[in-house]
Amino acid sequence: MTDTPLRDVGPAAAAGPASQIRRRRSRRMKALFPYLLVAPAVIYLLGITLYPGIYAIIQSFHAVKFGPWQPVGFDNYVRLMGDYQFWGALWNTFVIGSISLTLQCVLALILAFYAYRDPWVQGWRIVFLVPMLFMPSAVAFIYKLSFLDARVFSDLLQRIGLIDGNLAIQSSVWGSRALLILADVWQWTPFLFIIFVAALQGQDEEVEEAARLDGASWFSIFWNISLPLMKPVIAVALILRGIDITTMFTNVFIITKGGPAFGTETISYFIYRTGFKFFNFGYASAASVVMLILTIIIAQVVVKRAFVSARN
Amino acid sequence: MARIELQNVEKRWGAVVGVRDVDLDIADEELVVFLGPSGCGKTTTMRMIAGLEDPSEGEIRMDGEVMNEVDARDRDVAMVFQGYALYPNMTIYENIRFPLRMRDVPKADQDRLIREAAAMVELEDYLDRKPGALSGGQRQRAALARAIVRKPQVFLMDEPLSNLDAKLRQAMRVQIKHLQRQLRITTVYVTHDQIEAMTLADRIVVMAGGSIQQIGTPDQIYRDPANTFVAGFIGSPPMNLIEGRVEGGTFSAPGISVPGLSHAEGRAVTLGVRPEDCHVAEGAAHLTGHVYGIEPTGDMTYLTVKAGDKLIEVKADRDFRADLDTPQGVTFDMDRLYLFAGESGERIR
Ligand SMILES: Nc1ncnc2c1ncn2[C@@H]1O[C@H](COP(=O)(O)OP(=O)(O)O)[C@@H](O)[C@H]1O
Ligand SMILES: [Mg+2]
């Protein structure tokens, strides 16, 4: 945009009608411009989240197979409450999610605290992001190939003489869960690491030095000072990751397909199976809505507690 | 109890020199003040004593023992940081308790020591607040209490009063000096405020540009400055410094002529004279100029006289009055004059 005609209201600029028209138009343009800039993002966001969200809520009150929608009131929800596969999926999601989240959080915290004043780490932060940059399905396939189908991992262990025969990870519920946890931890620890490093670097260095002079070891500084100050950041990171893990799908779909014996079937996979294998769309929508409500409640509780205790 | 020695200490970051050639011997129970403008290396020197910064050259000893390799947490040094550095997530009580906990002081003694320390800085009523809920002065005192609670070998204070208002600063100054005498702990105090330095110090270390300019008692620093930097930094208003030449035993500069200075014959010099050693003259005078400004403060009158293009500060009698731009003579106290070499600024004795 040229700003000379906008600013210059002296006699020279007001001389011709052409310049006045140009000025008026650019002023309207100026007011509109920010909205135009964000419009694509907003439309996109509404299109892919709000619309399907409302659609799913409406659908959850209907029986939807292939024909027309039949309104059924709360039938889908009532049936859901008695569905042991739904509860099983909830439980699996909770078990896999909480173990994975705890592991990656603790691991990232330890790494971050160990590394955050290191100039090398500060310069090469981006390197730690690499696992996050891979396409999730590609990561899932690598894990599937390494541990299940091609059994690279079993083979390596056999060659160095640690085990006889193949590891039967597929046939063990906990083995399969461990595999999903491992893949998720590997892929997402760097994300938490980066966030925690940034939070630690933002903390007042003098406070830490004061603690050193007071006789605190590295661990007591971390435990007594850095960690409590990081609470809000940890809470936000856990919520972001928690929501992500609650909706874990890719790894389940590619690595375990929910097996063995539904032992790794997460909520997302349950919804997928209900919707796209049994084409029970209304029922799948009801499960989605329940999960959405659960996620919001949990996030709300975590945020509230973390922020209140940090402030006082 | 500790004596601190710094020998040829230097600190560099790549090509940046923070501090160079620091030789200093601090006696047990002494209160030494590092004084100098911002960026002159005071904090760096103090941090090296604390062990938060490793010297690039030289040796730091405490009670004769070389400390260079000793970790900060094992030096038994307590520091009050410029920004207080209180632990924001702990109450004041927990803040003061932290050094005791870290040094395994028996639980039974902790409470008593905390309350004693809090009483010394009059902070008993605020123990269950968090630092965020205290005023600057209270935080300041909390930081002091945390430092004194474990009776360290050495106290380090980095501009601890710089964030306080003038009145509180004066009250805290008295409190700090009193505490230091009472606890008899070797103390290094950093400030850029010469009044603070003069009132607190047993000895002042004047620093500029990363090196020590002069070490001495406040009286020595005031009465016997080693160079123009020290002369111009100490005193309020600071010493008048007038560039000129000595020819035939007489110092001359535009509008100024001072006879009887034969020991710098034929040299370019800087003549130093403090405002309180300048007197308003009726007849013959060392300096003749015009009244440039006059500022009565009640107990005295600050008179500024312009001679040539130089402004000379004079502390005149409180009843002195004059109109601007009227001619004015000034005489100097002949036995309170200082001569400094023109080039180096070093004192000529
Ligand atoms: N970590 C550092 N890296 C590079 N230069 C530094 C560092 N710390 C201090 N300096 C430099 O050293 C000099 C002295 O600093 P400092 O001791 O903080 O001064 P003071 O406390 O007297 O104001 C300054 O010029 C400053 O820029
Ligand atoms: Mg400083």
Side-chain angles (χ1 to χ4, degrees):
Chain A
M1 283 213 323
T2 54
D3 52 8
T4 9
L6 280 181
R7 294 246 177 84
D8 198 348
V9 250
S19 72
Q20 266 181 355
I21 290 167
R22 187 147 116 233
R23 198 167 75 214
R24 210 174 295 137
R25 197 178 286 155
S26 359
R27 202 169 276 163
R28 192 186 304 150
M29 189 67 192
K30 214 178 184 181
L32 224 66
F33 200 56
Y35 296 100
L36 285 179
L37 281 180
V38 296
V42 170
I43 292 166
Y44 174 76
L45 209 64
L46 291 182
I48 65 160
T49 62
L50 196 61
Y51 171 72
I54 291 169
Y55 189 89
I57 291 173
I58 295 169
Q59 199 176 40
S60 71
F61 293 103
H62 292 80
V64 184
K65 282 260 168 172
F66 293 104
W69 293 15
Q70 304 287 331
V72 292
F74 282 91
D75 275 10
N76 284 328
Y77 290 95
V78 173
R79 206 181 118 206
L80 208 52
M81 293 304 110
D83 186 341
Y84 74 93
Q85 283 193 344
F86 173 74
W87 290 108
L90 256 185
W91 172 245
N92 290 336
T93 308
F94 173 76
V95 168
I96 295 170
S98 55
I99 294 177
S100 177
L101 200 54
T102 309
L103 277 179
Q104 54 193 261
C105 190
V106 169
L107 207 61
L109 270 174
I110 293 171
L111 289 174
F113 192 74
Y114 183 73
Y116 76 106
R117 293 265 184 250
D118 190 320
W120 192 89
V121 175
Q122 292 185 17
W124 289 87
R125 265 191 262 187
I126 191 71
V127 168
F128 300 89
L129 283 177
V130 165
M132 283 170 57
L133 302 180
F134 288 135
M135 194 164 61
S137 54
V139 172
F141 267 110
I142 290 171
Y143 274 84
K144 188 176 163 77
L145 289 173
S146 310
F147 289 91
L148 303 179
D149 296 352
R151 294 181 170 155
V152 178
F153 186 67
S154 283
D155 189 52
L156 285 175
L157 286 185
Q158 281 176 52
R159 277 169 203 269
I160 56 173
L162 280 179
I163 52 165
D164 294 321
N166 278 321
L167 285 175
I169 296 173
Q170 268 148 313
S171 59
S172 133
V173 167
W174 278 103
S176 303
R177 285 176 180 170
L179 197 50
L180 290 178
I181 291 168
L182 180 70
D184 196 64
V185 168
W186 180 83
Q187 198 172 15
W188 289 101
T189 301
F191 171 72
L192 297 177
F193 171 79
I194 299 280
I195 291 182
F196 295 159
V197 164
L200 282 164
Q201 282 172 346
Q203 285 183 8
D204 185 357
E205 212 173 336
E206 274 196 351
V207 169
E208 220 175 88
E209 289 172 343
R212 257 170 86 198
L213 289 175
D214 280 345
S217 63
W218 283 111
F219 181 76
S220 358
I221 293 175
F222 176 64
W223 189 252
N224 292 298
I225 294 155
S226 302
L227 198 58
L229 291 179
M230 281 173 75
K231 247 188 194 166
V233 174
I234 294 176
V236 169
L238 285 186
I239 287 165
L240 289 178
R241 281 284 37 240
I243 291 171
D244 221 29
I245 286 183
T246 313
T247 56
M248 178 191 284
F249 179 76
T250 313
N251 285 353
V252 181
F253 180 73
I254 291 172
I255 302 177
T256 67
K257 291 256 187 294
F262 300 105
T264 60
E265 181 169 275
T266 56
I267 286 283
S268 294
Y269 197 79
F270 170 84
I271 293 167
Y272 160 78
R273 204 164 48 86
T274 314
F276 294 95
K277 283 209 168 136
F278 300 112
F279 303 104
N280 212 337
F281 295 116
Y283 194 48
S285 291
S288 309
V289 172
V290 169
M291 200 169 79
L292 176 69
I293 292 169
L294 274 180
T295 318
I296 290 173
I297 292 173
I298 292 170
Q300 198 56 33
V301 171
V302 176
V303 170
K304 230 179 202 161
R305 288 195 49 185
F307 283 89
V308 165
S309 55
R311 213 181 298 130
N312 300 337
Chain B
M1 306 303 101
R3 168 183 176 204
I4 308 168
E5 293 157 278
L6 282 77
Q7 194 176 26
N8 288 321
V9 170
E10 179 167 321
K11 178 71 193 179
R12 280 178 266 112
W13 292 275
V16 181
V17 180
V19 169
R20 80 176 78 83
D21 257 348
V22 171
D23 271 303
L24 181 62
D25 195 340
I26 302 170
D28 189 20
E29 297 183 20
E30 195 179 16
L31 199 169
V32 165
V33 174
F34 291 174
L35 174 66
S38 170
C40 72
K42 309 179 296 287
T43 298
T44 306
T45 311
M46 174 174 272
R47 287 170 59 84
M48 286 192 286
I49 297 175
L52 297 172
E53 212 80 71
D54 293 326
S56 315
E57 305 276 342
E59 230 170 57
I60 294 174
R61 291 189 292 271
M62 285 186 196
D63 284 333
E65 193 188 337
V66 179
M67 301 305 272
N68 290 40
E69 301 300 318
V70 178
D71 195 83
R73 57 188 289 242
D74 301 321
R75 290 198 189 186
D76 201 9
V77 161
M79 184 155 166
V80 177
F81 289 81
Q82 189 164 355
Y84 314 137
L86 293 168
Y87 310 125
N89 55 312
M90 303 182 197
T91 62
I92 298 305
Y93 185 90
E94 289 164 339
N95 261 280
I96 303 175
R97 188 169 71 135
F98 192 73
L100 301 178
R101 251 173 71 205
M102 291 302 118
R103 295 189 188 266
D104 294 325
V105 173
K107 274 229 162 64
D109 297 337
Q110 286 184 3
D111 187 66
R112 180 180 50 82
L113 290 168
I114 295 164
R115 287 181 195 286
E116 273 175 21
M120 272 192 216
V121 297
E122 295 169 22
L123 212 62
E124 301 102 312
D125 298 338
Y126 300 94
L127 286 175
D128 48 4
R129 295 221 197 150
K130 290 207 171 164
L134 295 187
S135 72
Q138 290 163 339
R139 279 182 221 183
Q140 169 60 48
R141 283 182 278 161
L144 263 176
R146 186 179 64 182
I148 60 182
V149 71
R150 65 186 163 91
K151 310 272 184 312
Q153 295 280 317
V154 177
F155 248 163
L156 304 175
M157 303 192 194
D158 192 356
E159 313 213 8
L161 307 185
S162 56
N163 298 340
L164 308 185
D165 61 62
K167 204 171 154 195
L168 192 55
R169 195 181 308 175
Q170 206 235 325
M172 286 301 300
R173 214 157 65 200
V174 174
Q175 218 163 8
I176 287 175
K177 186 154 185 171
H178 184 79
L179 272 175
Q180 196 266 342
R181 287 286 181 272
Q182 194 181 353
L183 300 169
R184 305 157 72 86
I185 293 172
T186 313
T187 302
V188 178
Y189 187 103
V190 161
T191 182
H192 62 260
D193 177 352
Q194 47 125 353
I195 305 280
E196 233 168 85
M198 296 294 283
T199 50
L200 276 173
D202 291 325
R203 278 192 305 158
I204 297 177
V205 177
V206 184
M207 300 181 71
S211 49
I212 294 180
Q213 303 297 311
Q214 187 174 3
I215 304 175
T217 64
D219 281 345
Q220 285 167 347
I221 299 278
Y222 190 80
R223 294 188 188 155
D224 206 7
N227 55 37
T228 47
F229 177 82
V230 178
F233 199 74
I234 307 278
S236 157
M239 186 184 283
N240 295 300
L241 294 168
I242 309 153
E243 284 107 42
R245 286 193 76 81
V246 179
E247 303 284 2
T250 299
F251 171 89
S252 49
I256 300 165
S257 169
V258 187
L261 296 168
S262 50
H263 59 296
E265 187 57 42
R267 292 175 64 178
V269 298
T270 301
L271 178 77
V273 56
R274 290 202 182 277
E276 58 268 39
D277 301 327
C278 299
H279 307 286
V280 175
E282 299 297 332
H286 292 129
L287 174 153
T288 41
H290 293 85
V291 175
Y292 185 81
I294 189 149
E295 304 163 279
T297 64
D299 60 338
M300 67 173 65
T301 303
Y302 290 107
L303 165 68
T304 310
V305 178
K306 188 168 188 176
D309 54 1
K310 195 84 196 160
L311 294 177
I312 307 296
E313 293 286 336
V314 178
K315 277 189 192 171
D317 189 81
R318 66 176 178 192
D319 297 325
F320 179 82
R321 293 291 181 275
D323 292 326
L324 294 191
D325 292 327
T326 53
Q328 180 65 52
V330 175
T331 55
F332 303 145
D333 233 332
M334 284 307 290
D335 43 357
R336 299 259 175 89
L337 291 184
Y338 304 89
L339 277 185
F340 303 93
E343 282 281 287
S344 64
E346 292 300 316
R347 180 83 174 277
I348 304 171
R349 289 169 197 275

